[in-house]
Amino acid sequence: MLKPRIYAERCLRDEAEAVMALIPQLDESFDQVVELIYKTKGHVVISGVGKSGNVGAKMAATLSSTGTPALFVNPLDALHGDLGMITADDVLLFISNSGNTDEILRLIAAVEERHVPIVSMTGNAQSLIAKYSDYHISVFVDHEACPLNLAPTSSTTAAIAMGDALACALMEVRGFKANDFAMFHPGGSLGRKLLLKVKDVMYTENLPVIAPELKLSEALMTISGGKLGLGVVIREEQIVGIITDGDIRRAVQGAQSRFLNVTVEEVMTKTPKTINPDAKLAQIQSMFRRHKIHSLLVVDDDKKLIGIVDYFAIMN
């Protein structure tokens, strides 16, 4: 018996080929659908049966989270009362691999007089659903990845990929940015990073402030007490430098017996990185990576210290 991973590799190759085969199928109709959805004032109402319904639900979620209001409706529910949710401002998008799904055909007949634009996504451009649609997007696949060529595998993968392609195209047309994405995902880690500001996470109490003339042995106690691994060097309320526990360790190695007499000013970094309290967390992360540091000093408009933001606080 062949090893199971051989079968898995065959399946993955078949599905990958099915997705790549979608590229030549993209045509003017796809462009028209993107323009239609972009201009619609209502929702994209997506419907499908069985596995196509699962694809439709995923597509609706992806569109909604990327700036295009969308919802999924089961065609049977629609035929038994949920048609009321469809308005003249909406766009209907039907998914069917065969293009001849009876429930979808009945739904098309039920909404025909409403003059709501109908988009279909099928694997058969000559099907009845494609014929009675205003726009058709082809997701034809040569064969299923299923060894029996029966279970929806390549066809559902292709439909999901085309739905993602539609969402990505709409994002580009809308100029959808990372901050917009965060607005739709406020509970996620990305939303947190993009919406929270420095002032929401900075340390403001018991800041490790030290004088430049302080001996390193004394400064070490202040740094340890601050629990941030650093001390902010201030003279006459102005920041003149920063010293870390790493700076002190290197000073000990270099000065050896002179260590007790070395002052903070001799080993401090005189150009510490600072940031405004209204900056977003995404900006902080960029600075951490660019400068290879783990702390930033938060200053007000007068460049006076008001807090410290730490890399590990952001990662929590």
Side-chain angles (χ1 to χ4, degrees), residues 82-126:
D82 284 358
L83 274 178
M85 70 172 62
I86 300 173
T87 72
D89 290 329
D90 294 329
V91 171
L92 293 172
L93 196 162
F94 297 130
I95 304 172
S96 169
N97 184 44
S98 69
N100 293 308
T101 306
D102 183 63
E103 294 88 345
I104 298 296
L105 289 169
R106 282 190 284 160
L107 188 52
I108 290 176
V111 300
E112 197 171 17
E113 295 183 357
R114 297 191 179 199
H115 304 294
V116 180
I118 296 176
V119 177
S120 62
M121 186 180 292
T122 81
N124 183 0
Q126 306 306 316

Short mmCIF file of all heavy atoms in Angstrom, two decimals, residues 82-126:
data_model
loop_
_atom_site.label_atom_id
_atom_site.label_comp_id
_atom_site.label_asym_id
_atom_site.label_seq_id
_atom_site.Cartn_x
_atom_site.Cartn_y
_atom_site.Cartn_z
N ASP A 82 -37.70 34.21 3.91
CA ASP A 82 -36.54 35.10 4.06
C ASP A 82 -36.27 35.98 2.85
O ASP A 82 -35.31 36.76 2.84
CB ASP A 82 -35.28 34.30 4.39
CG ASP A 82 -35.27 33.82 5.83
OD1 ASP A 82 -36.23 34.16 6.55
OD2 ASP A 82 -34.33 33.11 6.22
N LEU A 83 -37.12 35.87 1.83
CA LEU A 83 -36.96 36.76 0.67
C LEU A 83 -37.12 38.22 1.07
O LEU A 83 -36.66 39.12 0.37
CB LEU A 83 -37.98 36.41 -0.42
CG LEU A 83 -37.59 35.31 -1.40
CD1 LEU A 83 -38.73 35.06 -2.36
CD2 LEU A 83 -36.34 35.69 -2.16
N GLY A 84 -37.79 38.45 2.20
CA GLY A 84 -38.03 39.81 2.66
C GLY A 84 -36.75 40.57 2.98
O GLY A 84 -36.76 41.81 3.02
N MET A 85 -35.65 39.84 3.18
CA MET A 85 -34.39 40.53 3.49
C MET A 85 -33.71 41.08 2.24
O MET A 85 -32.78 41.87 2.33
CB MET A 85 -33.42 39.55 4.20
CG MET A 85 -32.88 38.46 3.30
SD MET A 85 -31.58 37.49 4.11
CE MET A 85 -32.47 36.80 5.50
N ILE A 86 -34.17 40.68 1.07
CA ILE A 86 -33.57 41.12 -0.18
C ILE A 86 -34.24 42.40 -0.66
O ILE A 86 -35.47 42.47 -0.77
CB ILE A 86 -33.69 40.03 -1.26
CG1 ILE A 86 -32.98 38.75 -0.80
CG2 ILE A 86 -33.08 40.52 -2.58
CD1 ILE A 86 -33.19 37.57 -1.72
N THR A 87 -33.45 43.43 -0.92
CA THR A 87 -33.99 44.71 -1.37
C THR A 87 -33.48 45.03 -2.78
O THR A 87 -32.58 44.37 -3.30
CB THR A 87 -33.56 45.84 -0.42
OG1 THR A 87 -32.16 46.11 -0.62
CG2 THR A 87 -33.81 45.47 1.03
N ALA A 88 -34.06 46.07 -3.36
CA ALA A 88 -33.68 46.48 -4.71
C ALA A 88 -32.25 47.01 -4.77
O ALA A 88 -31.66 47.11 -5.86
CB ALA A 88 -34.65 47.56 -5.22
N ASP A 89 -31.67 47.33 -3.62
CA ASP A 89 -30.30 47.85 -3.58
C ASP A 89 -29.26 46.74 -3.47
O ASP A 89 -28.05 47.02 -3.46
CB ASP A 89 -30.13 48.81 -2.39
CG ASP A 89 -30.90 50.10 -2.58
OD1 ASP A 89 -31.05 50.53 -3.74
OD2 ASP A 89 -31.35 50.68 -1.58
N ASP A 90 -29.71 45.49 -3.37
CA ASP A 90 -28.79 44.39 -3.16
C ASP A 90 -28.30 43.79 -4.48
O ASP A 90 -28.81 44.11 -5.56
CB ASP A 90 -29.46 43.28 -2.34
CG ASP A 90 -29.79 43.73 -0.92
OD1 ASP A 90 -29.06 44.57 -0.39
OD2 ASP A 90 -30.78 43.22 -0.35
N VAL A 91 -27.32 42.92 -4.35
CA VAL A 91 -26.83 42.10 -5.47
C VAL A 91 -26.93 40.65 -5.02
O VAL A 91 -26.50 40.31 -3.91
CB VAL A 91 -25.36 42.42 -5.83
CG1 VAL A 91 -24.83 41.41 -6.84
CG2 VAL A 91 -25.25 43.83 -6.38
N LEU A 92 -27.49 39.79 -5.86
CA LEU A 92 -27.60 38.37 -5.54
C LEU A 92 -26.43 37.62 -6.16
O LEU A 92 -26.09 37.85 -7.33
CB LEU A 92 -28.91 37.80 -6.07
CG LEU A 92 -30.18 38.32 -5.38
CD1 LEU A 92 -31.42 37.84 -6.13
CD2 LEU A 92 -30.23 37.84 -3.94
N LEU A 93 -25.82 36.72 -5.40
CA LEU A 93 -24.72 35.93 -5.92
C LEU A 93 -25.01 34.46 -5.61
O LEU A 93 -25.06 34.05 -4.45
CB LEU A 93 -23.40 36.35 -5.28
CG LEU A 93 -22.11 35.89 -5.98
CD1 LEU A 93 -20.92 36.73 -5.51
CD2 LEU A 93 -21.81 34.41 -5.76
N PHE A 94 -25.24 33.66 -6.66
CA PHE A 94 -25.59 32.26 -6.50
C PHE A 94 -24.40 31.38 -6.86
O PHE A 94 -23.74 31.59 -7.88
CB PHE A 94 -26.78 31.90 -7.39
CG PHE A 94 -28.04 32.64 -7.03
CD1 PHE A 94 -28.78 33.30 -8.00
CD2 PHE A 94 -28.49 32.68 -5.72
CE1 PHE A 94 -29.95 33.96 -7.68
CE2 PHE A 94 -29.66 33.35 -5.38
CZ PHE A 94 -30.38 34.00 -6.36
N ILE A 95 -24.15 30.37 -6.02
CA ILE A 95 -23.03 29.46 -6.23
C ILE A 95 -23.57 28.05 -6.49
O ILE A 95 -24.38 27.53 -5.71
CB ILE A 95 -22.09 29.44 -5.01
CG1 ILE A 95 -21.61 30.85 -4.70
CG2 ILE A 95 -20.90 28.54 -5.27
CD1 ILE A 95 -20.83 30.95 -3.39
N SER A 96 -23.14 27.45 -7.57
CA SER A 96 -23.55 26.08 -7.91
C SER A 96 -22.53 25.51 -8.88
O SER A 96 -22.28 26.09 -9.94
CB SER A 96 -24.94 26.08 -8.55
OG SER A 96 -25.24 24.81 -9.11
N ASN A 97 -21.94 24.38 -8.54
CA ASN A 97 -20.95 23.79 -9.44
C ASN A 97 -21.60 23.32 -10.74
O ASN A 97 -21.12 23.60 -11.84
CB ASN A 97 -20.25 22.61 -8.76
CG ASN A 97 -19.15 22.03 -9.63
OD1 ASN A 97 -18.37 22.77 -10.22
ND2 ASN A 97 -19.08 20.70 -9.72
N SER A 98 -22.75 22.64 -10.61
CA SER A 98 -23.43 22.13 -11.81
C SER A 98 -24.11 23.24 -12.59
O SER A 98 -24.26 23.17 -13.82
CB SER A 98 -24.47 21.08 -11.42
OG SER A 98 -25.55 21.68 -10.72
N GLY A 99 -24.54 24.27 -11.87
CA GLY A 99 -25.27 25.36 -12.52
C GLY A 99 -26.72 25.03 -12.77
O GLY A 99 -27.45 25.80 -13.41
N ASN A 100 -27.20 23.88 -12.24
CA ASN A 100 -28.58 23.47 -12.45
C ASN A 100 -29.27 23.09 -11.14
O ASN A 100 -30.23 22.32 -11.14
CB ASN A 100 -28.62 22.27 -13.42
CG ASN A 100 -28.19 22.67 -14.82
OD1 ASN A 100 -28.71 23.62 -15.39
ND2 ASN A 100 -27.21 21.95 -15.36
N THR A 101 -28.78 23.63 -10.02
CA THR A 101 -29.35 23.32 -8.71
C THR A 101 -30.79 23.81 -8.64
O THR A 101 -31.08 24.99 -8.85
CB THR A 101 -28.53 23.99 -7.60
OG1 THR A 101 -27.16 23.60 -7.74
CG2 THR A 101 -29.04 23.58 -6.22
N ASP A 102 -31.71 22.88 -8.36
CA ASP A 102 -33.14 23.18 -8.42
C ASP A 102 -33.54 24.31 -7.47
O ASP A 102 -34.30 25.20 -7.84
CB ASP A 102 -33.94 21.91 -8.08
CG ASP A 102 -35.43 22.13 -8.19
OD1 ASP A 102 -35.91 22.42 -9.31
OD2 ASP A 102 -36.13 22.04 -7.16
N GLU A 103 -33.02 24.28 -6.24
CA GLU A 103 -33.40 25.31 -5.26
C GLU A 103 -32.98 26.70 -5.72
O GLU A 103 -33.70 27.67 -5.48
CB GLU A 103 -32.77 25.00 -3.89
CG GLU A 103 -33.27 23.74 -3.23
CD GLU A 103 -32.49 22.50 -3.63
OE1 GLU A 103 -31.75 22.56 -4.65
OE2 GLU A 103 -32.63 21.49 -2.93
N ILE A 104 -31.81 26.80 -6.36
CA ILE A 104 -31.34 28.09 -6.85
C ILE A 104 -32.20 28.56 -8.02
O ILE A 104 -32.56 29.74 -8.14
CB ILE A 104 -29.86 28.02 -7.27
CG1 ILE A 104 -28.98 27.68 -6.07
CG2 ILE A 104 -29.41 29.34 -7.89
CD1 ILE A 104 -28.97 28.71 -4.98
N LEU A 105 -32.57 27.63 -8.89
CA LEU A 105 -33.42 27.98 -10.03
C LEU A 105 -34.77 28.51 -9.57
O LEU A 105 -35.30 29.48 -10.12
CB LEU A 105 -33.60 26.78 -10.95
CG LEU A 105 -32.35 26.37 -11.75
CD1 LEU A 105 -32.55 25.03 -12.42
CD2 LEU A 105 -32.02 27.44 -12.79
N ARG A 106 -35.32 27.87 -8.55
CA ARG A 106 -36.61 28.35 -8.01
C ARG A 106 -36.45 29.72 -7.36
O ARG A 106 -37.34 30.57 -7.44
CB ARG A 106 -37.16 27.35 -7.00
CG ARG A 106 -37.80 26.12 -7.64
CD ARG A 106 -38.53 25.31 -6.61
NE ARG A 106 -37.59 24.53 -5.79
CZ ARG A 106 -37.89 24.03 -4.59
NH1 ARG A 106 -39.07 24.28 -4.06
NH2 ARG A 106 -37.02 23.32 -3.93
N LEU A 107 -35.30 29.94 -6.73
CA LEU A 107 -35.05 31.24 -6.11
C LEU A 107 -34.90 32.33 -7.17
O LEU A 107 -35.40 33.45 -7.01
CB LEU A 107 -33.79 31.16 -5.24
CG LEU A 107 -33.45 32.37 -4.37
CD1 LEU A 107 -34.63 32.79 -3.52
CD2 LEU A 107 -32.24 32.06 -3.48
N ILE A 108 -34.25 32.00 -8.28
CA ILE A 108 -34.12 32.97 -9.38
C ILE A 108 -35.50 33.34 -9.91
O ILE A 108 -35.79 34.53 -10.16
CB ILE A 108 -33.25 32.39 -10.51
CG1 ILE A 108 -31.79 32.31 -10.05
CG2 ILE A 108 -33.35 33.24 -11.78
CD1 ILE A 108 -30.86 31.66 -11.05
N ALA A 109 -36.36 32.34 -10.05
CA ALA A 109 -37.72 32.61 -10.54
C ALA A 109 -38.49 33.50 -9.57
O ALA A 109 -39.28 34.37 -9.98
CB ALA A 109 -38.46 31.28 -10.74
N ALA A 110 -38.23 33.31 -8.27
CA ALA A 110 -38.95 34.08 -7.26
C ALA A 110 -38.53 35.54 -7.20
O ALA A 110 -39.32 36.41 -6.83
CB ALA A 110 -38.75 33.43 -5.88
N VAL A 111 -37.28 35.83 -7.58
CA VAL A 111 -36.78 37.21 -7.48
C VAL A 111 -36.73 37.91 -8.84
O VAL A 111 -36.37 39.08 -8.91
CB VAL A 111 -35.37 37.24 -6.84
CG1 VAL A 111 -35.40 36.66 -5.44
CG2 VAL A 111 -34.36 36.52 -7.71
N GLU A 112 -37.10 37.19 -9.89
CA GLU A 112 -36.96 37.74 -11.24
C GLU A 112 -37.68 39.06 -11.42
O GLU A 112 -37.18 39.99 -12.06
CB GLU A 112 -37.47 36.72 -12.26
CG GLU A 112 -37.01 36.98 -13.67
CD GLU A 112 -37.35 35.84 -14.61
OE1 GLU A 112 -38.21 35.00 -14.25
OE2 GLU A 112 -36.75 35.78 -15.68
N GLU A 113 -38.86 39.19 -10.85
CA GLU A 113 -39.65 40.41 -11.03
C GLU A 113 -39.14 41.57 -10.19
O GLU A 113 -39.59 42.70 -10.36
CB GLU A 113 -41.12 40.14 -10.70
CG GLU A 113 -41.78 39.15 -11.67
CD GLU A 113 -43.25 38.95 -11.36
OE1 GLU A 113 -43.73 39.53 -10.35
OE2 GLU A 113 -43.92 38.22 -12.11
N ARG A 114 -38.22 41.31 -9.27
CA ARG A 114 -37.70 42.38 -8.41
C ARG A 114 -36.59 43.17 -9.11
O ARG A 114 -36.17 44.21 -8.61
CB ARG A 114 -37.15 41.79 -7.10
CG ARG A 114 -38.22 41.10 -6.26
CD ARG A 114 -37.65 40.81 -4.90
NE ARG A 114 -38.63 40.15 -4.04
CZ ARG A 114 -38.54 40.10 -2.71
NH1 ARG A 114 -37.52 40.68 -2.11
NH2 ARG A 114 -39.46 39.50 -2.01
N HIS A 115 -36.11 42.63 -10.20
CA HIS A 115 -35.05 43.29 -10.99
C HIS A 115 -33.80 43.54 -10.15
O HIS A 115 -33.14 44.57 -10.28
CB HIS A 115 -35.57 44.61 -11.57
CG HIS A 115 -36.80 44.44 -12.41
ND1 HIS A 115 -36.81 43.76 -13.61
CD2 HIS A 115 -38.08 44.85 -12.21
CE1 HIS A 115 -38.03 43.76 -14.12
NE2 HIS A 115 -38.83 44.41 -13.29
N VAL A 116 -33.49 42.58 -9.27
CA VAL A 116 -32.25 42.64 -8.50
C VAL A 116 -31.15 41.99 -9.34
O VAL A 116 -31.34 40.90 -9.88
CB VAL A 116 -32.40 41.89 -7.16
CG1 VAL A 116 -31.09 41.95 -6.36
CG2 VAL A 116 -33.55 42.47 -6.35
N PRO A 117 -30.00 42.62 -9.50
CA PRO A 117 -28.92 42.04 -10.30
C PRO A 117 -28.52 40.66 -9.77
O PRO A 117 -28.38 40.46 -8.56
CB PRO A 117 -27.78 43.04 -10.14
CG PRO A 117 -28.44 44.31 -9.74
CD PRO A 117 -29.63 43.93 -8.92
N ILE A 118 -28.36 39.72 -10.69
CA ILE A 118 -28.01 38.35 -10.32
C ILE A 118 -26.64 37.99 -10.89
O ILE A 118 -26.39 38.12 -12.09
CB ILE A 118 -29.06 37.34 -10.84
CG1 ILE A 118 -30.41 37.60 -10.16
CG2 ILE A 118 -28.60 35.91 -10.58
CD1 ILE A 118 -31.53 36.71 -10.70
N VAL A 119 -25.77 37.56 -10.00
CA VAL A 119 -24.44 37.07 -10.38
C VAL A 119 -24.40 35.58 -10.05
O VAL A 119 -24.86 35.17 -8.98
CB VAL A 119 -23.33 37.79 -9.60
CG1 VAL A 119 -21.96 37.21 -9.96
CG2 VAL A 119 -23.37 39.29 -9.86
N SER A 120 -23.89 34.78 -10.94
CA SER A 120 -23.74 33.36 -10.65
C SER A 120 -22.28 32.96 -10.76
O SER A 120 -21.51 33.52 -11.55
CB SER A 120 -24.59 32.51 -11.60
OG SER A 120 -24.20 32.69 -12.95
N MET A 121 -21.92 31.98 -9.95
CA MET A 121 -20.57 31.42 -9.98
C MET A 121 -20.74 29.92 -10.13
O MET A 121 -21.12 29.23 -9.18
CB MET A 121 -19.83 31.78 -8.68
CG MET A 121 -18.36 31.35 -8.66
SD MET A 121 -17.54 31.80 -7.11
CE MET A 121 -17.52 33.58 -7.22
N THR A 122 -20.52 29.40 -11.32
CA THR A 122 -20.76 27.98 -11.59
C THR A 122 -19.61 27.36 -12.37
O THR A 122 -18.76 28.07 -12.92
CB THR A 122 -22.06 27.77 -12.41
OG1 THR A 122 -21.79 28.00 -13.79
CG2 THR A 122 -23.18 28.69 -11.94
N GLY A 123 -19.64 26.03 -12.43
CA GLY A 123 -18.66 25.31 -13.22
C GLY A 123 -19.15 24.98 -14.61
O GLY A 123 -18.50 24.22 -15.34
N ASN A 124 -20.30 25.55 -14.97
CA ASN A 124 -20.89 25.26 -16.27
C ASN A 124 -21.49 26.52 -16.86
O ASN A 124 -22.60 26.94 -16.50
CB ASN A 124 -21.96 24.17 -16.13
CG ASN A 124 -22.58 23.76 -17.46
OD1 ASN A 124 -22.21 24.29 -18.52
ND2 ASN A 124 -23.51 22.83 -17.39
N ALA A 125 -20.77 27.13 -17.78
CA ALA A 125 -21.22 28.40 -18.37
C ALA A 125 -22.48 28.24 -19.22
O ALA A 125 -23.14 29.23 -19.53
CB ALA A 125 -20.10 29.00 -19.21
N GLN A 126 -22.83 27.01 -19.59
CA GLN A 126 -24.02 26.76 -20.40
C GLN A 126 -25.22 26.34 -19.57
O GLN A 126 -26.26 26.00 -20.10
CB GLN A 126 -23.71 25.67 -21.44
CG GLN A 126 -22.48 25.93 -22.29
CD GLN A 126 -22.53 27.27 -22.99
OE1 GLN A 126 -23.57 27.65 -23.55
NE2 GLN A 126 -21.42 28.01 -22.99
#
